């Protein structure tokens, strides 16, 4: 009995000593991820244009088309078509005029309502994506590619945020005392990007898929970040998700193994 107990204690001690000497190492692992949309029927892709709304500091229609075409050239098997950027807002307005439709407007708008109206693509404009005949005609012009279009809202505003403020106190002899923390408010320059990507079959003009995103970034007023820089920072967050819709990806991760 005593012998078995001694053997058990010795075994436990050996296990603890061995565990103390164990080391780990990282092994990179790649996991394949299939594209959300089956693009096998297509050889070409046309990033056509976007309904843009929000700040006038950035031409988000042109900048988004340029950026997505550049990304697709380097990361997609599809041939990217070089073509003029479609002014979708003007085309949508012209289509409404042909149908005798005019967007409803109130006689007087509050400041908040006017801002909301300015910073979003209207439902009347969005209806252009349901116009299969229009997109089929575009597709015929460019050999029936996959067409990428959509809407994009990019707005900037100053936001008040609550936060801590530190103040120093001094006694009668001028000696610095412990800092006092007080609640206060500070202004931050905030940019919001809300794109919707619409994927259209250039052969039929039908919508195949759509995806929407919202990203936001805030800066201290002293940073003086240009709107264009904020736009590209936000698009950097959106582009990987956009590419996952059209291209197969290999997601990298790490596993820890005992050595």
């Amino acid at each position: 009995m005593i012998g078995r107990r001694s053997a058990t204690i010795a075994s436990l001690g050996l296990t603890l000593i061995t565990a103390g000497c164990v080391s780990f190492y990282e092994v990179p692992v790649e996991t394949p991820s299939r594209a959300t949309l089956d693009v096998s029927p297509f050889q070409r892709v046309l990033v056509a244009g976007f309904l843009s709304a929000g700040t006038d500091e950035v031409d988000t229609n042109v900048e988004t088309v340029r950026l997505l075409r550049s990304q697709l050239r380097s990361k997609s098997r599809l041939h990217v078509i070089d073509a003029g950027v479609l002014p979708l807002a003007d085309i949508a307005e012209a289509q409404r005029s042909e149908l005798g439709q005019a967007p409803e407007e109130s006689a007087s708008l509050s400041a908040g309502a006017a801002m909301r109206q300015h910073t979003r693509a209207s439902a009347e404009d969005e209806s252009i994506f349901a116009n299969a005949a229009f997109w089929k005609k575009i597709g015929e012009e460019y050999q029936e590619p996959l067409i990428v279009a959509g809407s994009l809202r990019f707005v900037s505003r100053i936001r008040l945020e609550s936060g801590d403020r530190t103040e120093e106190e001094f006694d009668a002899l001028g000696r610095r005392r412990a800092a006092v923390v007080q609640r206060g408010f500070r202004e931050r320059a905030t940019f919001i990007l809300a794109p919707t990507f619409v994927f259209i079959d250039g052969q039929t003009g039908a919508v195949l898929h759509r995806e929407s995103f919202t990203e936001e970034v805030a800066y201290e007023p002293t940073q003086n970040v240009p709107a264009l820089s904020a736009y590209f920072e936000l698009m950097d967050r959106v582009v990987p998700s956009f590419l996952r819709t059209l291209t197969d990806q290999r997601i990298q991760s790490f596993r820890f193994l005992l050595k």
Side-chain angles (χ1 to χ4, degrees):
M1 184 70 177
I2 295 175
R4 286 200 300 270
R5 184 178 299 173
S6 299
T8 302
I9 294 174
S11 176
L12 179 60
L14 180 61
T15 301
L16 293 176
I17 293 173
T18 304
C21 299
V22 169
S23 60
F24 300 87
Y25 62 99
E26 288 183 340
V27 176
V29 178
E30 287 190 345
T31 304
S33 174
R34 300 290 295 176
T36 305
L37 184 64
D38 180 13
V39 298
S40 59
F42 304 97
Q43 299 297 320
R44 300 154 64 84
V45 59
L46 171 66
V47 184
F50 292 83
L51 297 170
S52 56
T55 178
D56 295 330
E57 296 180 70
V58 179
D59 189 341
T60 51
N61 182 24
V62 172
E63 295 296 345
T64 304
V65 169
R66 287 175 178 170
L67 177 60
L68 296 186
R69 287 180 181 176
S70 174
Q71 291 292 317
L72 288 171
R73 285 191 188 98
S74 61
K75 299 177 182 178
S76 170
R77 68 163 185 83
L78 298 172
H79 172 72
V80 179
I81 298 172
D82 285 318
V85 179
L86 292 181
L88 285 191
D90 295 338
I91 295 172
E93 183 178 357
Q95 289 183 0
R96 287 199 309 268
S97 299
E98 291 175 2
L99 297 174
Q101 297 176 346
E104 296 181 2
E105 295 184 1
S106 173
S108 61
L109 292 173
S110 66
M115 172 64 75
R116 288 192 296 273
Q117 187 182 64
H118 177 63
T119 58
R120 69 183 181 195
S122 68
E124 291 88 353
D125 287 343
E126 291 277 354
S127 65
I128 191 174
F129 302 120
N131 189 341
F134 169 76
W135 294 109
K136 183 177 180 180
K137 184 177 180 181
I138 297 293
E140 291 172 351
E141 183 177 351
Y142 294 101
Q143 301 177 29
E144 300 176 347
L146 173 67
I147 300 173
V148 179
S151 61
L152 192 144
R153 180 174 64 95
F154 179 58
V155 296
S156 62
R157 56 173 60 98
I158 299 298
R159 177 176 295 173
L160 285 176
E161 295 184 355
S162 61
D164 295 334
R165 184 177 61 205
T166 303
E167 294 182 352
E168 295 181 347
E169 287 186 350
F170 298 86
D171 61 17
L173 298 178
R175 292 175 299 188
R176 182 177 179 273
R177 300 178 60 182
V180 177
V181 178
Q182 298 181 345
R183 299 295 293 177
F185 292 89
R186 60 177 180 175
E187 293 183 345
R188 302 192 74 188
T190 304
F191 294 87
I192 301 170
L193 180 71
T196 294
F197 301 113
V198 181
F199 304 89
I200 300 170
D201 186 338
Q203 182 177 10
T204 64
V207 173
L208 299 174
H209 181 69
R210 69 168 63 207
E211 288 191 11
S212 298
F213 305 91
T214 300
E215 295 289 346
E216 179 177 329
V217 65
Y219 305 97
E220 299 296 336
T222 54
Q223 291 181 271
N224 295 320
V225 176
L228 185 61
S229 296
Y231 162 81
F232 281 116
E233 180 175 343
L234 292 170
M235 282 299 294
D236 281 344
R237 304 179 188 178
V238 172
V239 165
S241 297
F242 168 80
L243 291 174
R244 280 196 293 271
T245 304
L246 299 178
T247 62
D248 294 340
Q249 304 284 317
R250 301 192 70 84
I251 301 173
Q252 290 190 341
S253 60
F254 293 91
R255 292 181 182 175
F256 293 93
L257 299 180
L258 297 176
K259 185 174 181 180

